[in-house]
Amino acid sequence: MGISLFQKSLRDMIAGMRSNRNAEEKYIQSTMEDIKKELKNTDLKVKTVALQKLTYLNMLGFDMSWAAFHVVEVMSTQKLLHKIVGYQAAAQSFNENTDVMLLITNLLKKDLISTNPTERSMGLDCLSNIATLDLARDLVADVYGLLSSSSVPCRKRAALVLYCCFLKYPDALRPCFKGLVEHLDDHEQSVVCSVVSVLCELVIKHPHNYLEMAPLFYRLLLGSTNNWMTMKLLKIFGALTPLEPRLTKKLVEPLKNIMSSTMAKSLLFECITTVCSGMTSNEELVEMTLEHLKDFVLDSDPNLKYLGFKALEQFVKHVPKLVLRFGNAALLCLSTVDPTIRSSALRVISGLVSKKDLKQVIVRIIDHIPAANTAYRNELSETILSICCRDKYSLVSDFSWYLNILVELARVPGSVHGKTIAFQITDIACRVEAMRDDSVQAVRSLLMDPSVIKTSKTGSISEVLEATAWITGEYAAYVEHPKETVEALLQPGILELPCSVQSMYVQAILKVFVQVASDLLSDEQQGGQEEGNEEEKSDSEEDAEVDKIAMLSELADLILAHISQYAKSPDPEVVERSCQLKAILHTQKEKEGIEALRSLFSRLSGIMSEELQPVSGKAQSKVLAPDDLTVVTPIMEEFYDEEIDGVPAGEEDTSENSQGTIAPTSSGLDAATALTEASEEQKKLAEEKAKNELQQHRQKHGIFYLGQDRGSEKSGGDPSLAASSDVVDMPGDAEVSPQAETVPASSSVDSVYSKMKRRKGKKKQHGAAVVIKQDDDVTDGAESLGSSPLKQDKNGLDVNVFAPLEHGEALPSVEAYPTAYPQDVYSSDHDMMQQHDYSQQHEELETPAVVAEGSSGKKHKKKKKKHRKKKDKVEGAEAPEAQAAEVEQQS
């Protein structure tokens, strides 16, 4: 490709970018300015080189949508080297939002029917990359016609591009399907492989539509010698076997033969995935598959190892007992460098864990947490949490051990599973009553550790601290060291936590203090002291009373000294709870004597002693409704009468304009039915009233209505009659009825609007008219070029491909671009060859040869005359047969 003297080529631009690494962005900006100038040049060579450089920059991430029209210019050239550059740029940069997309339809059509195989290949390649709904609809017939081409590469490309057209224009699937399937018998194996690839994608999307083709696929599988086609056929059977289990017996022997004879890892892996997709019921075949899968898992190649674990994930779902042999190999892969292998191994381990080896597996997983990065740590934590909570903790036999595991996971730096950990700790404490003491003791370490609060900004441990405070306050009876617990709840760093956590801390302080006071002042403790030695009875009572009051005062002073920090919180709930706690403590200070304190805290304890029980999500459905509950009977019969009649009870409607009252039709009718019928009757009356008002308004203000509306009024309100009328009234010809003058000018706008809405709804239902909201010539440029009235159906490929074609489903005829070749040249290979031979014979017979003057010329004229007579006789004999064939085809 030649370039101008001072223009930089693509090679020069790449060399300049490499030599200006420190100022590459500046160099590219200057190059982009040069490209914009070169694209405006009239010389096609200069424009092509500029487009080539712009395409390279687009590969690096620079936008080239602004040069779409220049791409079309280069595509439409006749020189093949320039056309290749244009097609490459279009395939790389065009999309559904490109404005000039509709300009290339005829260009693609012309190149698709070109005799140059390179132009056909370029057109097919470009269409496969930029296919839109409009392009697929307009060009699918041309692509389908190329299936009959004599060129093998053309048939292969056409079959593959048809699938791209099906995705964008699903209505073409049924008309093209029969011709596509016929090419499964093509004499070229590569064409058959392309058709099988297309059918594979269709079967994977909607396998139930292609069960009838299972015998055909089975025949192709037995005779296939191409590994790629065999893999596609195995994918097809992997999608069909779950729907038809009887296929498993047929496929056992072919799969065994392939797995035992092939050396290709790709084909072997496809056999494995086919078995695990729907053939796990055959134990012999599964055992053979797992033996081959062992080679994948133990292979040193990370790609094969990953594929092995991906297949194991599927086998774990169906035959977990047979996959237990791979447990140790999966645990060893947790320390591998490849993150994809680690993730797949974790999923395999998650499916293999049992109740017996749960603790051992969890400990092995936790050992990898300290040395892992943040993402891998979160993945390991998520695996532990999902394994242990499966089926409502069915695998966990020691909840005390699991609570300690949850606390350790909460301390993992950068953890994002704080919400899950908090929920599980709270769930175990609520559901397992025997574990409430262990729950309080397990979360105590989180409360006592000030470093946990410092790390709350980097992770989600604040949610765990909120659950910790709730458990401490809700089950304060199990707190063994109340003073240390209160001190932990009053740490100065708590103000850095979210406000919801602060409010939970204040509530926990109150509950712990009330529980401690109730335990100290309870009658049981005093009764236990009275059972002691009678000689020390009086002294012990006095000492106990002094000790209890002193302990409470000490604890209250500790809380009052630090509770003021919560008053600085911006959250009003935290401030309110802290003020309530201070008020209770001041009230306790004002009480004198142990009896007064016992009375105060017994009442507070009664408020907080109600235990929170877990409630099932289906609990409400198990509650039976009472027999005497009625939901349809009106609560007040008088109020019901007022609503139905529209007037107060005891009064009569004397208005002349009243449209009547609606009463219940029968005494046995329930309220819901009566209200429904009443609303329908009122709606009908309102519609009639609105219709009359609108008619009167039209008669008075007829000059402001369009001719069609007034025509519908004259025809009794039927829009179809108005539309069919040939007479159109002009605005000046409207006459005003004398009766309409008495109608008030202030007609009901709501009535008119409601009737317009009803008329619009009727038109939509019957499809009698199309409402145009704006003029035809006032449209947005981008929408008029890039949009299409057709909408793509996501489930359009889910059709019965074997049903007969309905009316209008046939593909449109291929309108050939004006060329020197006949339109039906692509009908079939046989017809094309016949047509070529026929034209050649006529050229030889009808075209006079160049002969010398004399008797040879006369002899040639006689031969030509005899041939014409013979031709007329043949055409006359064939005419009736042609007419009969035409009549039969029409019938």
Short mmCIF file of all heavy atoms in Angstrom, two decimals, residues 452-478:
data_model
loop_
_atom_site.label_atom_id
_atom_site.label_comp_id
_atom_site.label_asym_id
_atom_site.label_seq_id
_atom_site.Cartn_x
_atom_site.Cartn_y
_atom_site.Cartn_z
N VAL A 452 -9.37 -4.60 69.57
CA VAL A 452 -10.45 -4.95 68.64
C VAL A 452 -11.17 -3.69 68.17
O VAL A 452 -11.55 -3.55 67.01
CB VAL A 452 -11.43 -5.93 69.32
CG1 VAL A 452 -12.63 -6.20 68.43
CG2 VAL A 452 -10.72 -7.23 69.67
N ILE A 453 -11.36 -2.73 69.09
CA ILE A 453 -12.04 -1.49 68.72
C ILE A 453 -11.17 -0.68 67.76
O ILE A 453 -11.68 -0.02 66.84
CB ILE A 453 -12.37 -0.68 69.99
CG1 ILE A 453 -13.30 -1.49 70.90
CG2 ILE A 453 -13.00 0.66 69.64
CD1 ILE A 453 -13.63 -0.81 72.20
N LYS A 454 -9.86 -0.74 67.92
CA LYS A 454 -8.99 0.02 67.04
C LYS A 454 -9.01 -0.52 65.60
O LYS A 454 -8.84 0.24 64.66
CB LYS A 454 -7.56 -0.02 67.58
CG LYS A 454 -7.40 0.67 68.93
CD LYS A 454 -5.96 0.58 69.42
CE LYS A 454 -5.80 1.25 70.78
NZ LYS A 454 -4.40 1.15 71.28
N THR A 455 -9.22 -1.82 65.47
CA THR A 455 -9.25 -2.42 64.13
C THR A 455 -10.63 -2.40 63.51
O THR A 455 -10.84 -2.96 62.43
CB THR A 455 -8.76 -3.88 64.20
OG1 THR A 455 -9.62 -4.62 65.10
CG2 THR A 455 -7.33 -3.94 64.70
N SER A 456 -11.60 -1.78 64.18
CA SER A 456 -12.98 -1.78 63.65
C SER A 456 -13.11 -0.94 62.39
O SER A 456 -14.05 -1.11 61.62
CB SER A 456 -13.95 -1.27 64.72
OG SER A 456 -13.62 0.06 65.09
N LYS A 457 -12.18 -0.01 62.16
CA LYS A 457 -12.28 0.86 60.99
C LYS A 457 -11.87 0.13 59.71
O LYS A 457 -12.31 0.50 58.63
CB LYS A 457 -11.39 2.09 61.19
CG LYS A 457 -11.86 2.99 62.32
CD LYS A 457 -10.96 4.21 62.42
CE LYS A 457 -11.42 5.14 63.55
NZ LYS A 457 -10.56 6.34 63.66
N THR A 458 -11.03 -0.90 59.83
CA THR A 458 -10.53 -1.59 58.64
C THR A 458 -11.39 -2.78 58.24
O THR A 458 -11.25 -3.28 57.14
CB THR A 458 -9.10 -2.07 58.88
OG1 THR A 458 -9.09 -2.94 60.03
CG2 THR A 458 -8.18 -0.89 59.15
N GLY A 459 -12.25 -3.25 59.09
CA GLY A 459 -13.06 -4.42 58.78
C GLY A 459 -14.50 -4.21 59.19
O GLY A 459 -14.98 -3.08 59.35
N SER A 460 -15.20 -5.33 59.36
CA SER A 460 -16.61 -5.28 59.76
C SER A 460 -16.82 -5.84 61.15
O SER A 460 -17.86 -6.40 61.45
CB SER A 460 -17.44 -6.09 58.74
OG SER A 460 -16.99 -7.42 58.68
N ILE A 461 -15.80 -5.68 62.00
CA ILE A 461 -15.91 -6.23 63.35
C ILE A 461 -16.89 -5.43 64.21
O ILE A 461 -17.34 -5.90 65.25
CB ILE A 461 -14.52 -6.29 64.02
CG1 ILE A 461 -14.55 -7.23 65.22
CG2 ILE A 461 -14.05 -4.89 64.40
CD1 ILE A 461 -13.19 -7.49 65.82
N SER A 462 -17.21 -4.21 63.79
CA SER A 462 -18.17 -3.41 64.57
C SER A 462 -19.52 -4.11 64.65
O SER A 462 -20.22 -4.03 65.67
CB SER A 462 -18.33 -2.03 63.95
OG SER A 462 -18.75 -2.12 62.60
N GLU A 463 -19.92 -4.83 63.60
CA GLU A 463 -21.17 -5.58 63.65
C GLU A 463 -21.09 -6.73 64.64
O GLU A 463 -22.08 -7.06 65.30
CB GLU A 463 -21.50 -6.09 62.24
CG GLU A 463 -21.70 -4.97 61.23
CD GLU A 463 -21.81 -5.50 59.81
OE1 GLU A 463 -21.41 -6.67 59.58
OE2 GLU A 463 -22.29 -4.76 58.93
N VAL A 464 -19.89 -7.34 64.75
CA VAL A 464 -19.71 -8.39 65.75
C VAL A 464 -19.76 -7.81 67.16
O VAL A 464 -20.33 -8.42 68.08
CB VAL A 464 -18.38 -9.12 65.50
CG1 VAL A 464 -18.20 -10.27 66.49
CG2 VAL A 464 -18.32 -9.65 64.08
N LEU A 465 -19.19 -6.62 67.34
CA LEU A 465 -19.24 -5.99 68.67
C LEU A 465 -20.67 -5.63 69.06
O LEU A 465 -21.03 -5.71 70.24
CB LEU A 465 -18.37 -4.73 68.66
CG LEU A 465 -16.86 -4.97 68.54
CD1 LEU A 465 -16.11 -3.64 68.45
CD2 LEU A 465 -16.34 -5.78 69.72
N GLU A 466 -21.48 -5.26 68.10
CA GLU A 466 -22.88 -4.99 68.41
C GLU A 466 -23.59 -6.26 68.90
O GLU A 466 -24.35 -6.23 69.88
CB GLU A 466 -23.59 -4.45 67.17
CG GLU A 466 -25.03 -4.04 67.40
CD GLU A 466 -25.66 -3.44 66.17
OE1 GLU A 466 -24.97 -3.33 65.15
OE2 GLU A 466 -26.85 -3.09 66.22
N ALA A 467 -23.35 -7.39 68.22
CA ALA A 467 -23.93 -8.65 68.67
C ALA A 467 -23.35 -9.07 70.02
O ALA A 467 -24.07 -9.64 70.87
CB ALA A 467 -23.67 -9.74 67.63
N THR A 468 -22.07 -8.79 70.25
CA THR A 468 -21.45 -9.12 71.54
C THR A 468 -22.10 -8.36 72.68
O THR A 468 -22.40 -8.92 73.74
CB THR A 468 -19.95 -8.79 71.46
OG1 THR A 468 -19.35 -9.58 70.45
CG2 THR A 468 -19.28 -9.06 72.78
N ALA A 469 -22.33 -7.06 72.49
CA ALA A 469 -22.99 -6.26 73.52
C ALA A 469 -24.42 -6.73 73.76
O ALA A 469 -24.90 -6.77 74.90
CB ALA A 469 -22.98 -4.79 73.11
N TRP A 470 -25.11 -7.12 72.70
CA TRP A 470 -26.49 -7.59 72.87
C TRP A 470 -26.53 -8.88 73.67
O TRP A 470 -27.37 -9.05 74.57
CB TRP A 470 -27.14 -7.81 71.51
CG TRP A 470 -28.58 -8.22 71.61
CD1 TRP A 470 -29.66 -7.40 71.70
CD2 TRP A 470 -29.08 -9.56 71.66
NE1 TRP A 470 -30.81 -8.14 71.80
CE2 TRP A 470 -30.49 -9.48 71.78
CE3 TRP A 470 -28.48 -10.81 71.62
CZ2 TRP A 470 -31.30 -10.60 71.85
CZ3 TRP A 470 -29.29 -11.94 71.69
CH2 TRP A 470 -30.67 -11.83 71.80
N ILE A 471 -25.64 -9.83 73.37
CA ILE A 471 -25.61 -11.10 74.10
C ILE A 471 -25.24 -10.87 75.55
O ILE A 471 -25.82 -11.47 76.47
CB ILE A 471 -24.61 -12.06 73.42
CG1 ILE A 471 -25.13 -12.48 72.05
CG2 ILE A 471 -24.35 -13.28 74.28
CD1 ILE A 471 -24.15 -13.29 71.23
N THR A 472 -24.30 -9.95 75.81
CA THR A 472 -23.89 -9.67 77.19
C THR A 472 -25.04 -9.08 77.99
O THR A 472 -25.24 -9.43 79.17
CB THR A 472 -22.70 -8.71 77.19
OG1 THR A 472 -21.63 -9.28 76.42
CG2 THR A 472 -22.20 -8.45 78.60
N GLY A 473 -25.81 -8.19 77.37
CA GLY A 473 -26.93 -7.61 78.10
C GLY A 473 -28.12 -8.53 78.19
O GLY A 473 -28.80 -8.59 79.23
N GLU A 474 -28.43 -9.27 77.13
CA GLU A 474 -29.61 -10.14 77.12
C GLU A 474 -29.45 -11.30 78.09
O GLU A 474 -30.41 -11.72 78.75
CB GLU A 474 -29.85 -10.65 75.70
CG GLU A 474 -31.12 -11.46 75.55
CD GLU A 474 -32.37 -10.64 75.71
OE1 GLU A 474 -32.29 -9.40 75.53
OE2 GLU A 474 -33.43 -11.23 76.01
N TYR A 475 -28.24 -11.83 78.21
CA TYR A 475 -27.97 -12.96 79.10
C TYR A 475 -26.98 -12.52 80.18
O TYR A 475 -25.94 -13.15 80.41
CB TYR A 475 -27.43 -14.14 78.30
CG TYR A 475 -28.32 -14.53 77.14
CD1 TYR A 475 -27.94 -14.29 75.83
CD2 TYR A 475 -29.57 -15.09 77.38
CE1 TYR A 475 -28.77 -14.63 74.78
CE2 TYR A 475 -30.41 -15.43 76.34
CZ TYR A 475 -30.01 -15.19 75.03
OH TYR A 475 -30.84 -15.53 73.99
N ALA A 476 -27.32 -11.42 80.83
CA ALA A 476 -26.44 -10.87 81.88
C ALA A 476 -26.36 -11.77 83.10
O ALA A 476 -25.43 -11.64 83.91
CB ALA A 476 -26.95 -9.48 82.30
N ALA A 477 -27.29 -12.71 83.26
CA ALA A 477 -27.24 -13.62 84.41
C ALA A 477 -26.03 -14.53 84.35
O ALA A 477 -25.62 -15.09 85.38
CB ALA A 477 -28.53 -14.45 84.45
N TYR A 478 -25.41 -14.70 83.16
CA TYR A 478 -24.25 -15.57 83.01
C TYR A 478 -22.93 -14.80 83.09
O TYR A 478 -21.87 -15.40 82.90
CB TYR A 478 -24.32 -16.32 81.68
CG TYR A 478 -25.56 -17.17 81.53
CD1 TYR A 478 -26.64 -16.73 80.78
CD2 TYR A 478 -25.65 -18.42 82.14
CE1 TYR A 478 -27.78 -17.50 80.64
CE2 TYR A 478 -26.78 -19.21 82.00
CZ TYR A 478 -27.85 -18.73 81.25
OH TYR A 478 -28.98 -19.51 81.12
#
